[in-house]
Amino acid sequence: MYKCAIILAAGQGKRIKSNLPKVLHKVAGKEMVNHVIDTIRTAGIVDINVIIGKGAELVKEKTTSREVSYSMQLEQLGTGHAVKCAKDFFKDKDGVVAVFTGDAPLITSCTVENLIETHIKENNYATLLTSVIDDPSGYGRIVRSAEGVEKIVEHKDCNEAELKVNEINAGMYCFDIQSLSEALEKLSNENAQGEYYLTDIIEIFKNENKKIGAMITEFEQTIGVNSRVELAKVEKILRDRINKFHMDNGVTLIDPNSTYIGADVSIGQDTIIYPGNYIEGNAVIGEECTLYPNSRISNSTIGNGVEIQSSVIIDSTIGNETTVGPFAYIRPESKIGSKVRIGDFVEIKKSTIADNTKVSHLTYIGDAEVGKNCNFGCGTVVVNYDGKNKHKTIIGDNSFIGCNTNLVSPVEVKNNTYIAAGSTITKEVPEGSLAIARAKQTNIEGWVDKKGLKK
Ligand code: UD1
Ligand code: CA
Protein backbone atom coordinates (compact mmCIF):
# COMPACT_ATOMS: atom_id res chain seq x y z
CA MET A 1 0.00 0.00 0.00
CA TYR A 2 1.19 3.52 -0.79
CA LYS A 3 2.51 5.39 2.27
CA CYS A 4 3.45 9.00 2.76
CA ALA A 5 3.91 11.29 5.75
CA ILE A 6 3.40 14.88 6.72
CA ILE A 7 5.13 16.72 9.54
CA LEU A 8 3.53 19.70 11.25
CA ALA A 9 6.18 22.36 11.69
CA ALA A 10 4.51 25.70 11.05
CA GLY A 11 3.88 26.80 14.62
CA GLN A 12 5.77 29.56 16.35
CA GLY A 13 6.64 27.82 19.60
CA LYS A 14 5.90 30.78 21.85
CA ARG A 15 6.77 29.02 25.09
CA ILE A 16 10.35 28.28 23.99
CA LYS A 17 11.02 32.07 23.76
CA SER A 18 13.35 32.06 20.80
CA ASN A 19 14.02 33.82 17.51
CA LEU A 20 14.64 30.38 16.05
CA PRO A 21 11.56 28.37 15.00
CA LYS A 22 10.94 25.74 17.68
CA VAL A 23 11.42 22.73 15.41
CA LEU A 24 14.96 23.92 14.57
CA HIS A 25 16.16 23.69 18.16
CA LYS A 26 18.62 20.86 18.37
CA VAL A 27 18.68 17.74 20.52
CA ALA A 28 21.79 15.58 20.45
CA GLY A 29 23.19 18.01 17.90
CA LYS A 30 20.39 17.66 15.36
CA GLU A 31 17.31 19.80 14.71
CA MET A 32 14.13 18.27 16.15
CA VAL A 33 12.38 18.30 12.79
CA ASN A 34 15.33 16.49 11.21
CA HIS A 35 15.15 13.78 13.88
CA VAL A 36 11.52 13.28 12.92
CA ILE A 37 12.30 13.23 9.17
CA ASP A 38 15.16 10.73 9.63
CA THR A 39 13.05 8.46 11.85
CA ILE A 40 10.20 8.38 9.34
CA ARG A 41 12.64 7.63 6.51
CA THR A 42 14.21 4.80 8.51
CA ALA A 43 10.69 3.41 8.94
CA GLY A 44 10.46 3.14 5.16
CA ILE A 45 8.49 6.23 4.12
CA VAL A 46 10.12 8.08 1.25
CA ASP A 47 7.51 10.69 0.42
CA ILE A 48 7.52 13.29 3.22
CA ASN A 49 5.89 16.72 3.24
CA VAL A 50 6.78 19.31 5.87
CA ILE A 51 4.21 21.98 6.69
CA ILE A 52 6.00 25.24 7.29
CA GLY A 53 4.90 28.72 8.28
CA LYS A 54 6.75 30.57 11.04
CA GLY A 55 10.40 30.90 9.97
CA ALA A 56 9.54 28.98 6.80
CA GLU A 57 12.68 29.91 4.84
CA LEU A 58 14.98 28.82 7.64
CA VAL A 59 13.13 25.56 8.23
CA LYS A 60 13.40 24.90 4.50
CA GLU A 61 17.11 25.67 4.47
CA LYS A 62 17.88 23.40 7.42
CA THR A 63 15.87 20.46 6.07
CA THR A 64 16.63 20.77 2.37
CA SER A 65 19.42 18.16 2.29
CA ARG A 66 16.81 15.57 3.31
CA GLU A 67 14.84 15.99 0.10
CA VAL A 68 11.37 16.51 1.50
CA SER A 69 8.58 18.57 -0.06
CA TYR A 70 6.88 21.52 1.64
CA SER A 71 3.43 22.98 2.15
CA MET A 72 2.91 26.51 3.32
CA GLN A 73 0.59 27.45 6.20
CA LEU A 74 0.57 31.22 6.13
CA GLU A 75 -1.60 31.66 9.21
CA GLN A 76 -1.47 29.21 12.11
CA LEU A 77 -5.14 28.40 12.56
CA GLY A 78 -4.63 25.00 14.21
CA THR A 79 -3.34 21.51 13.51
CA GLY A 80 -6.35 20.60 11.34
CA HIS A 81 -5.85 23.71 9.26
CA ALA A 82 -2.14 22.85 8.95
CA VAL A 83 -2.94 19.43 7.50
CA LYS A 84 -5.43 21.04 5.14
CA CYS A 85 -2.61 23.21 3.83
CA ALA A 86 -0.85 20.00 2.74
CA LYS A 87 -3.85 18.79 0.78
CA ASP A 88 -2.18 19.38 -2.57
CA PHE A 89 0.51 16.96 -1.46
CA PHE A 90 -1.79 14.01 -0.80
CA LYS A 91 -5.15 14.66 -2.46
CA ASP A 92 -4.46 12.66 -5.64
CA LYS A 93 -2.97 9.75 -3.74
CA ASP A 94 -4.52 6.58 -2.40
CA GLY A 95 -3.26 4.80 0.67
CA VAL A 96 -1.97 5.90 4.07
CA VAL A 97 -0.79 9.28 5.23
CA ALA A 98 1.02 9.29 8.56
CA VAL A 99 1.00 12.57 10.51
CA PHE A 100 3.73 13.66 12.95
CA THR A 101 4.71 16.83 14.74
CA GLY A 102 8.11 18.44 14.33
CA ASP A 103 8.47 19.01 18.07
CA ALA A 104 8.38 15.37 19.24
CA PRO A 105 11.79 13.94 18.30
CA LEU A 106 11.86 10.86 20.54
CA ILE A 107 9.56 8.74 18.44
CA THR A 108 11.43 5.65 17.16
CA SER A 109 11.29 4.16 13.67
CA CYS A 110 10.14 0.89 15.22
CA THR A 111 7.03 2.57 16.63
CA VAL A 112 6.37 4.35 13.33
CA GLU A 113 6.55 1.00 11.52
CA ASN A 114 4.23 -0.62 14.06
CA LEU A 115 1.72 2.21 13.81
CA ILE A 116 1.53 1.89 10.02
CA GLU A 117 1.42 -1.89 10.16
CA THR A 118 -1.40 -1.84 12.74
CA HIS A 119 -3.31 0.67 10.64
CA ILE A 120 -3.10 -1.48 7.51
CA LYS A 121 -3.64 -4.83 9.25
CA GLU A 122 -6.75 -3.64 11.11
CA ASN A 123 -8.20 -1.93 8.01
CA ASN A 124 -8.57 1.30 10.01
CA TYR A 125 -9.51 4.66 8.58
CA ALA A 126 -7.58 6.31 11.38
CA THR A 127 -5.05 4.89 13.85
CA LEU A 128 -3.89 7.00 16.77
CA LEU A 129 -0.76 6.72 18.80
CA THR A 130 -1.64 7.14 22.46
CA SER A 131 0.02 6.81 25.80
CA VAL A 132 -1.08 6.51 29.40
CA ILE A 133 0.41 8.90 31.96
CA ASP A 134 -0.21 10.00 35.54
CA ASP A 135 -0.41 13.68 34.77
CA PRO A 136 -2.16 14.16 31.42
CA SER A 137 -2.60 17.93 31.74
CA GLY A 138 -2.12 19.87 28.53
CA TYR A 139 -2.68 16.87 26.27
CA GLY A 140 -5.72 15.85 24.27
CA ARG A 141 -7.64 13.03 25.99
CA ILE A 142 -8.73 9.80 24.32
CA VAL A 143 -12.40 9.23 25.06
CA ARG A 144 -13.38 5.58 24.68
CA SER A 145 -16.65 3.66 24.84
CA ALA A 146 -17.23 -0.07 24.83
CA GLU A 147 -16.84 0.05 21.04
CA GLY A 148 -13.46 1.73 21.11
CA VAL A 149 -12.21 5.28 20.55
CA GLU A 150 -15.05 7.80 20.33
CA LYS A 151 -13.21 11.10 20.07
CA ILE A 152 -10.26 13.19 21.24
CA VAL A 153 -11.00 16.13 23.51
CA GLU A 154 -8.41 18.87 23.92
CA HIS A 155 -7.47 19.70 27.52
CA LYS A 156 -9.08 23.14 27.31
CA ASP A 157 -12.34 21.64 26.06
CA CYS A 158 -12.58 18.80 28.61
CA ASN A 159 -15.45 18.38 31.05
CA GLU A 160 -14.69 17.07 34.53
CA ALA A 161 -14.96 13.42 33.63
CA GLU A 162 -12.76 13.90 30.55
CA LEU A 163 -10.09 15.72 32.55
CA LYS A 164 -9.64 12.51 34.56
CA VAL A 165 -8.86 10.41 31.49
CA ASN A 166 -5.17 9.63 31.51
CA GLU A 167 -4.84 8.15 28.04
CA ILE A 168 -3.49 10.98 25.92
CA ASN A 169 -3.14 11.75 22.24
CA ALA A 170 0.50 11.67 21.13
CA GLY A 171 -0.31 13.83 18.11
CA MET A 172 0.84 11.09 15.71
CA TYR A 173 -1.61 9.28 13.47
CA CYS A 174 -2.24 7.27 10.33
CA PHE A 175 -5.18 8.16 8.09
CA ASP A 176 -6.79 6.80 4.97
CA ILE A 177 -5.90 9.55 2.51
CA GLN A 178 -9.25 9.96 0.73
CA SER A 179 -11.29 9.88 3.96
CA LEU A 180 -8.99 12.44 5.56
CA SER A 181 -9.28 14.75 2.52
CA GLU A 182 -13.07 14.70 2.77
CA ALA A 183 -13.20 15.09 6.57
CA LEU A 184 -10.83 18.07 6.59
CA GLU A 185 -13.57 20.08 4.84
CA LYS A 186 -15.91 19.41 7.75
CA LEU A 187 -13.69 20.77 10.54
CA SER A 188 -14.93 23.76 12.48
CA ASN A 189 -13.19 26.04 14.92
CA GLU A 190 -15.91 26.21 17.51
CA ASN A 191 -13.87 25.27 20.53
CA ALA A 192 -12.05 26.81 23.48
CA GLN A 193 -9.07 27.91 21.36
CA GLY A 194 -10.95 28.92 18.21
CA GLU A 195 -8.68 26.60 16.19
CA TYR A 196 -9.26 23.96 13.54
CA TYR A 197 -8.25 20.83 15.46
CA LEU A 198 -6.90 17.83 13.59
CA THR A 199 -8.12 15.78 16.54
CA ASP A 200 -11.77 16.45 15.54
CA ILE A 201 -11.27 14.17 12.51
CA ILE A 202 -11.70 11.22 14.88
CA GLU A 203 -15.23 12.17 15.88
CA ILE A 204 -16.11 12.86 12.24
CA PHE A 205 -14.89 9.36 11.28
CA LYS A 206 -16.79 7.88 14.20
CA ASN A 207 -20.02 9.50 13.02
CA GLU A 208 -19.40 8.07 9.54
CA ASN A 209 -18.87 4.61 11.04
CA LYS A 210 -15.26 4.53 9.85
CA LYS A 211 -13.09 2.19 11.86
CA ILE A 212 -10.66 3.86 14.29
CA GLY A 213 -7.76 2.10 15.99
CA ALA A 214 -5.40 3.17 18.74
CA MET A 215 -1.93 1.95 19.57
CA ILE A 216 -0.59 2.59 23.05
CA THR A 217 3.11 3.34 23.38
CA GLU A 218 5.48 4.42 26.17
CA PHE A 219 5.09 8.08 27.06
CA GLU A 220 8.79 8.78 26.56
CA GLN A 221 8.45 8.43 22.78
CA THR A 222 5.62 10.90 22.56
CA ILE A 223 7.02 13.81 24.59
CA GLY A 224 6.56 17.09 22.78
CA VAL A 225 8.95 19.97 23.38
CA ASN A 226 7.22 23.23 24.21
CA SER A 227 9.79 24.87 26.52
CA ARG A 228 13.55 24.92 27.19
CA VAL A 229 13.01 22.73 30.24
CA GLU A 230 11.37 20.09 28.05
CA LEU A 231 14.16 20.56 25.50
CA ALA A 232 16.72 19.64 28.16
CA LYS A 233 14.61 16.70 29.32
CA VAL A 234 14.39 15.33 25.78
CA GLU A 235 18.11 15.95 25.24
CA LYS A 236 18.91 13.83 28.30
CA ILE A 237 16.65 10.95 27.21
CA LEU A 238 18.05 10.96 23.68
CA ARG A 239 21.64 11.15 24.91
CA ASP A 240 21.06 8.18 27.23
CA ARG A 241 19.61 6.23 24.31
CA ILE A 242 22.55 7.07 22.04
CA ASN A 243 25.11 6.24 24.73
CA LYS A 244 23.43 2.92 25.47
CA PHE A 245 23.48 2.10 21.76
CA HIS A 246 27.25 2.61 21.60
CA MET A 247 27.90 0.71 24.83
CA ASP A 248 25.84 -2.18 23.48
CA ASN A 249 28.09 -2.09 20.40
CA GLY A 250 31.24 -2.50 22.48
CA VAL A 251 32.30 1.08 23.19
CA THR A 252 33.42 1.91 26.74
CA LEU A 253 32.08 5.17 28.14
CA ILE A 254 33.82 5.84 31.45
CA ASP A 255 31.02 8.21 32.47
CA PRO A 256 27.99 8.20 30.15
CA ASN A 257 26.52 11.16 32.02
CA SER A 258 29.28 13.43 30.81
CA THR A 259 29.77 12.03 27.32
CA TYR A 260 27.97 13.82 24.49
CA ILE A 261 27.58 11.85 21.30
CA GLY A 262 25.52 13.18 18.41
CA ALA A 263 22.69 11.24 16.84
CA ASP A 264 24.58 10.48 13.62
CA VAL A 265 27.98 9.54 15.03
CA SER A 266 29.44 6.08 14.53
CA ILE A 267 32.08 4.55 16.83
CA GLY A 268 34.06 1.33 16.43
CA GLN A 269 34.35 -1.48 18.95
CA ASP A 270 36.77 -1.29 21.90
CA THR A 271 37.10 2.46 21.70
CA ILE A 272 37.30 4.00 25.16
CA ILE A 273 35.82 7.42 25.79
CA TYR A 274 36.68 9.44 28.89
CA PRO A 275 34.40 12.13 30.33
CA GLY A 276 33.98 15.51 28.74
CA ASN A 277 34.09 14.42 25.13
CA TYR A 278 31.71 16.08 22.67
CA ILE A 279 31.39 14.19 19.40
CA GLU A 280 29.07 15.76 16.88
CA GLY A 281 27.73 15.80 13.32
CA ASN A 282 28.70 12.97 11.04
CA ALA A 283 31.79 12.01 13.01
CA VAL A 284 33.13 8.51 12.47
CA ILE A 285 35.45 7.13 15.14
CA GLY A 286 37.36 3.91 14.41
CA GLU A 287 38.05 0.90 16.60
CA GLU A 288 40.34 0.76 19.61
CA CYS A 289 40.70 4.50 19.91
CA THR A 290 41.22 6.22 23.23
CA LEU A 291 39.56 9.57 23.63
CA TYR A 292 41.05 11.02 26.81
CA PRO A 293 39.05 13.76 28.53
CA ASN A 294 37.74 16.98 27.04
CA SER A 295 37.79 16.96 23.26
CA ARG A 296 35.38 18.21 20.66
CA ILE A 297 35.27 16.17 17.47
CA SER A 298 32.97 17.50 14.79
CA ASN A 299 32.18 15.97 11.37
CA SER A 300 35.53 14.23 11.27
CA THR A 301 36.72 10.73 10.41
CA ILE A 302 39.09 9.20 12.92
CA GLY A 303 40.94 5.96 12.06
CA ASN A 304 41.63 2.97 14.30
CA GLY A 305 43.86 3.05 17.37
CA VAL A 306 43.95 6.85 17.51
CA GLU A 307 44.59 8.68 20.81
CA ILE A 308 43.11 12.12 21.29
CA GLN A 309 43.35 14.32 24.33
CA SER A 310 41.86 17.75 25.13
CA SER A 311 41.72 18.83 21.50
CA VAL A 312 39.36 20.26 18.91
CA ILE A 313 39.03 18.53 15.52
CA ILE A 314 36.66 19.94 12.92
CA ASP A 315 35.77 18.66 9.42
CA SER A 316 39.02 16.70 9.12
CA THR A 317 40.43 13.19 8.74
CA ILE A 318 42.87 11.46 11.08
CA GLY A 319 44.67 8.23 10.07
CA ASN A 320 45.26 5.07 12.07
CA GLU A 321 47.40 5.09 15.22
CA THR A 322 47.93 8.83 15.15
CA THR A 323 48.04 10.76 18.42
CA VAL A 324 46.52 14.20 18.84
CA GLY A 325 46.96 16.62 21.73
CA PRO A 326 46.78 17.59 24.44
CA PHE A 327 45.62 21.03 23.31
CA ALA A 328 45.78 20.61 19.55
CA TYR A 329 43.43 22.41 17.15
CA ILE A 330 42.75 20.73 13.84
CA ARG A 331 40.75 23.03 11.62
CA PRO A 332 38.56 22.20 8.62
CA GLU A 333 39.84 20.36 5.56
CA SER A 334 42.89 18.89 7.23
CA LYS A 335 44.00 15.41 6.35
CA ILE A 336 46.34 13.81 8.84
CA GLY A 337 47.93 10.45 7.94
CA SER A 338 48.71 7.35 9.98
CA LYS A 339 51.15 7.17 12.90
CA VAL A 340 51.41 10.94 12.89
CA ARG A 341 52.03 12.87 16.07
CA ILE A 342 50.20 16.17 16.52
CA GLY A 343 51.33 17.38 19.91
CA ASP A 344 50.54 20.14 22.35
CA PHE A 345 49.65 23.63 21.15
CA VAL A 346 49.74 22.64 17.51
CA GLU A 347 47.29 24.17 15.08
CA ILE A 348 46.70 22.62 11.68
CA LYS A 349 44.56 24.43 9.12
CA LYS A 350 43.53 23.08 5.70
CA SER A 351 46.70 21.03 5.40
CA THR A 352 47.77 17.51 4.53
CA ILE A 353 50.23 15.75 6.81
CA ALA A 354 51.49 12.41 5.49
CA ASP A 355 52.25 9.25 7.51
CA ASN A 356 54.80 9.14 10.33
CA THR A 357 55.37 12.87 10.48
CA LYS A 358 55.84 14.37 13.95
CA VAL A 359 54.63 17.85 14.80
CA SER A 360 55.17 17.67 18.51
CA HIS A 361 54.87 21.14 19.98
CA LEU A 362 53.93 24.79 19.55
CA THR A 363 53.53 24.84 15.79
CA TYR A 364 51.20 26.36 13.20
CA ILE A 365 50.74 24.66 9.84
CA GLY A 366 48.29 26.35 7.45
CA ASP A 367 47.59 25.76 3.75
CA ALA A 368 50.44 23.26 3.51
CA GLU A 369 51.20 19.86 2.05
CA VAL A 370 53.60 17.99 4.28
CA GLY A 371 55.26 14.70 3.23
CA LYS A 372 55.92 11.62 5.29
CA ASN A 373 58.56 11.00 7.97
CA CYS A 374 59.10 14.68 8.61
CA ASN A 375 59.95 16.18 11.97
CA PHE A 376 58.87 19.63 12.99
CA GLY A 377 60.88 21.31 15.70
CA CYS A 378 59.21 23.26 18.44
CA GLY A 379 57.75 26.59 17.38
CA THR A 380 57.60 26.20 13.62
CA VAL A 381 55.32 28.64 11.83
CA VAL A 382 54.03 28.34 8.30
CA VAL A 383 53.60 31.97 7.30
CA ASN A 384 50.68 31.42 4.96
CA TYR A 385 49.16 34.89 4.91
CA ASP A 386 50.79 38.00 3.48
CA GLY A 387 48.10 40.33 4.73
CA LYS A 388 46.14 40.00 1.52
CA ASN A 389 46.26 36.45 0.24
CA LYS A 390 46.81 32.93 1.54
CA HIS A 391 49.68 30.98 -0.04
CA LYS A 392 50.71 27.38 -0.05
CA THR A 393 53.78 25.66 1.36
CA ILE A 394 54.94 22.24 0.18
CA ILE A 395 57.28 20.14 2.27
CA GLY A 396 58.70 16.88 0.86
CA ASP A 397 59.28 13.58 2.62
CA ASN A 398 61.95 13.09 5.30
CA SER A 399 62.40 16.78 6.01
CA PHE A 400 63.72 18.00 9.34
CA ILE A 401 62.40 21.43 10.19
CA GLY A 402 64.49 22.98 12.96
CA CYS A 403 62.97 24.73 15.97
CA ASN A 404 61.62 28.23 15.47
CA THR A 405 61.56 28.06 11.69
CA ASN A 406 59.37 30.36 9.61
CA LEU A 407 58.28 29.02 6.24
CA VAL A 408 57.18 32.07 4.26
CA SER A 409 54.62 30.88 1.72
CA PRO A 410 54.57 30.19 -1.12
CA VAL A 411 57.68 28.09 -0.68
CA GLU A 412 58.80 24.56 -1.31
CA VAL A 413 61.06 22.36 0.78
CA LYS A 414 62.15 19.30 -1.21
CA ASN A 415 62.64 15.73 0.03
CA ASN A 416 65.46 14.78 2.43
CA THR A 417 66.29 18.26 3.66
CA TYR A 418 67.30 19.95 6.90
CA ILE A 419 66.45 23.45 7.99
CA ALA A 420 68.58 24.98 10.71
CA ALA A 421 66.83 26.21 13.83
CA GLY A 422 65.71 29.83 13.71
CA SER A 423 65.65 30.03 9.92
CA THR A 424 63.22 32.14 7.97
CA ILE A 425 62.81 30.26 4.73
CA THR A 426 61.72 32.31 1.72
CA LYS A 427 63.28 30.32 -1.13
CA GLU A 428 63.06 26.72 -2.26
CA VAL A 429 65.22 24.29 -0.29
CA PRO A 430 66.69 21.82 -2.85
CA GLU A 431 66.64 18.09 -2.28
CA GLY A 432 69.34 16.76 0.02
CA SER A 433 70.46 20.16 1.33
CA LEU A 434 70.68 22.00 4.63
CA ALA A 435 69.16 25.48 4.64
CA ILE A 436 70.37 28.07 7.11
CA ALA A 437 68.61 31.40 6.88
CA ARG A 438 69.64 33.45 9.90
CA ALA A 439 72.33 36.01 10.73
CA LYS A 440 75.73 34.50 11.56
CA GLN A 441 76.65 34.76 15.25
CA THR A 442 79.23 37.40 16.20
CA ASN A 443 80.86 37.45 19.67
CA ILE A 444 82.19 40.81 20.89
CA GLU A 445 84.81 39.92 23.48
CA GLY A 446 84.98 41.95 26.73
CA TRP A 447 81.83 43.89 25.83
CA VAL A 448 80.21 43.58 29.31
CA ASP A 449 83.31 44.90 31.09
CA LYS A 450 83.76 47.70 28.63
CA LYS A 451 80.18 48.86 29.18
CA GLY A 452 80.62 48.69 32.98
CA LEU A 453 77.81 46.20 33.27
CA LYS A 454 79.60 43.51 35.23
CA LYS A 455 77.82 42.52 38.46
C1 UD1 B 1 -1.58 18.67 20.01
C2 UD1 B 1 -2.90 17.90 19.95
C3 UD1 B 1 -3.13 17.21 21.27
C4 UD1 B 1 -1.97 16.30 21.59
C5 UD1 B 1 -0.64 17.07 21.53
C6 UD1 B 1 0.52 16.11 21.62
C7 UD1 B 1 -4.40 19.14 18.46
C8 UD1 B 1 -5.56 20.05 18.38
N1 UD1 B 1 -3.97 18.82 19.67
O1 UD1 B 1 -1.72 19.68 20.98
O2 UD1 B 1 -4.32 16.45 21.22
O3 UD1 B 1 -2.14 15.72 22.86
O4 UD1 B 1 -0.51 17.78 20.29
O5 UD1 B 1 1.74 16.78 21.71
O6 UD1 B 1 -3.91 18.71 17.45
N2 UD1 B 1 1.15 23.43 14.22
C9 UD1 B 1 1.12 23.92 12.95
N3 UD1 B 1 0.13 24.80 12.61
C10 UD1 B 1 -0.79 25.22 13.50
C11 UD1 B 1 -0.75 24.71 14.80
C12 UD1 B 1 0.22 23.82 15.14
O7 UD1 B 1 1.94 23.55 12.11
O8 UD1 B 1 -1.65 26.02 13.10
C13 UD1 B 1 2.20 22.47 14.57
C14 UD1 B 1 3.15 23.01 15.64
O9 UD1 B 1 4.26 23.64 15.05
C15 UD1 B 1 3.55 21.75 16.37
C16 UD1 B 1 2.37 20.81 16.19
O10 UD1 B 1 1.61 21.33 15.12
O11 UD1 B 1 4.71 21.15 15.79
C17 UD1 B 1 1.49 20.67 17.43
O12 UD1 B 1 0.98 21.93 17.77
P1 UD1 B 1 0.80 22.39 19.26
O13 UD1 B 1 0.23 23.75 19.27
O14 UD1 B 1 2.07 22.17 20.01
O15 UD1 B 1 -0.33 21.34 19.73
P2 UD1 B 1 -0.65 20.91 21.21
O16 UD1 B 1 -1.42 21.98 21.89
O17 UD1 B 1 0.57 20.42 21.86
CA1 CA C 1 2.92 20.47 21.41
Side-chain angles (χ1 to χ4, degrees), residues 281-295:
N282 292 313
V284 178
I285 315 283
E287 296 177 359
E288 296 180 21
C289 294
T290 308
L291 307 186
Y292 290 108
N294 302 327
S295 290

Side-chain angles (χ1 to χ4, degrees), residues 86-273:
K87 233 174 138 176
D88 278 348
F89 165 70
F90 58 77
K91 70 168 192 268
D92 298 326
K93 294 167 178 157
D94 248 320
V96 190
V97 59
V99 177
F100 300 90
T101 62
D103 63 352
L106 293 177
I107 185 75
T108 66
S109 56
C110 205
T111 303
V112 175
E113 275 174 46
N114 284 341
L115 182 69
I116 296 166
E117 228 169 77
T118 304
H119 179 81
I120 295 172
K121 207 174 61 200
E122 294 181 352
N123 292 311
N124 293 332
Y125 283 84
T127 309
L128 325 172
L129 193 67
T130 74
S131 137
V132 176
I133 52 169
D134 292 338
D135 175 16
S137 48
Y139 288 94
R141 308 298 207 282
I142 308 295
V143 175
R144 288 178 183 260
S145 70
E147 289 142 52
V149 176
E150 292 282 317
K151 58 180 173 179
I152 301 172
V153 185
E154 287 308 294
H155 182 97
K156 287 182 178 158
D157 299 294
C158 280
N159 62 33
E160 246 173 73
E162 287 158 351
L163 280 174
K164 288 190 184 122
V165 173
N166 57 2
E167 184 180 7
I168 57 112
N169 170 31
M172 305 178 202
Y173 327 76
C174 283
F175 294 105
D176 168 64
I177 292 175
Q178 284 313 315
S179 305
L180 176 66
S181 284
E182 289 161 25
L184 283 170
E185 301 304 324
K186 299 175 188 163
L187 289 178
S188 92
N189 62 352
E190 284 161 27
N191 51 52
Q193 303 185 82
E195 289 183 359
Y196 294 91
Y197 292 160
L198 180 61
T199 45
D200 285 349
I201 298 286
I202 302 306
E203 202 178 0
I204 295 172
F205 277 16
K206 185 72 199 173
N207 292 335
E208 293 170 349
N209 288 317
K210 289 185 165 138
K211 196 170 171 232
I212 300 156
M215 194 181 103
I216 302 181
T217 192
E218 51 170 353
F219 176 61
E220 186 186 284
Q221 290 198 38
T222 69
I223 300 177
V225 172
N226 296 311
S227 65
R228 306 262 180 174
V229 171
E230 282 161 343
L231 187 69
K233 201 184 283 173
V234 162
E235 169 84 33
K236 171 81 177 116
I237 294 169
L238 196 59
R239 193 176 352 120
D240 286 348
R241 252 193 222 168
I242 292 168
N243 286 352
K244 182 179 180 304
F245 168 83
H246 291 292
M247 289 188 281
D248 287 345
N249 279 347
V251 177
T252 294
L253 305 183
I254 306 271
D255 178 13
N257 286 325
S258 57
T259 305
Y260 304 83
I261 302 172
D264 298 321
V265 170
S266 84
I267 306 174
Q269 190 175 306
D270 286 319
T271 282
I272 301 175
I273 304 180

